[in-house]
Amino acid sequence: MNEKEKEKILNTPATTSEIIDSLRHMGNDHPCCKPFCNMAADRVQDMLDNIKKFNKIMGAREESSFGREFSPTTISSCRTQHIQELGEIFDSFKNFTKEIGE
């Protein structure tokens, strides 16, 4: 593979499924790397699953007996900056799962 092909691959957006498949394929092509490639693929899948679970829990909305919508799960901090940063992290998790099409 030449440098131009490598650059094209590195600059092409990929879904998480494609990344996981590539890791597993790389392990099949290079048997000495197979355990590490499979472990990396499993870790990527675990991270994606955990981000999805987090998004589902934090994004849940319920209706009170008075008809008001609320979030049953909240994260609190006495540090305003931490709350802002947590909000940004949560938004990045939501955007991540949208971008990869999961």
Side-chain angles (χ1 to χ4, degrees):
M1 181 181 305
N2 64 38
E3 289 302 315
K4 195 170 189 174
E5 290 172 325
K6 286 180 187 176
E7 186 176 326
K8 182 181 177 186
I9 289 170
L10 291 174
N11 291 324
T12 302
T15 66
T16 305
S17 299
E18 291 170 335
I19 293 168
I20 292 168
D21 290 344
S22 294
L23 284 167
R24 293 196 194 286
H25 182 71
M26 186 171 36
N28 290 333
D29 287 348
H30 305 283
C32 63
C33 298
K34 188 171 186 166
F36 302 108
C37 292
N38 285 336
M39 183 176 62
D42 291 344
R43 292 193 72 171
V44 169
Q45 186 63 57
D46 288 345
M47 289 294 293
L48 177 62
D49 292 344
N50 286 329
I51 288 171
K52 287 179 182 180
K53 287 177 193 174
F54 181 82
N55 286 348
K56 185 176 180 181
I57 291 168
M58 294 306 296
R61 300 290 182 262
E62 294 180 8
E63 190 173 314
S64 72
S65 58
F66 300 109
R68 293 180 51 182
E69 191 176 276
F70 70 99
S71 301
T73 305
T74 61
I75 297 174
S76 65
S77 173
C78 61
R79 303 282 182 248
T80 305
Q81 183 178 356
H82 290 173
I83 293 297
Q84 182 180 352
E85 290 170 354
L86 286 167
E88 291 167 2
I89 291 167
F90 179 52
D91 289 344
S92 74
F93 285 176
K94 286 192 292 187
N95 291 334
F96 175 71
T97 53
K98 286 179 189 174
E99 288 172 8
I100 60 171
E102 300 284 339

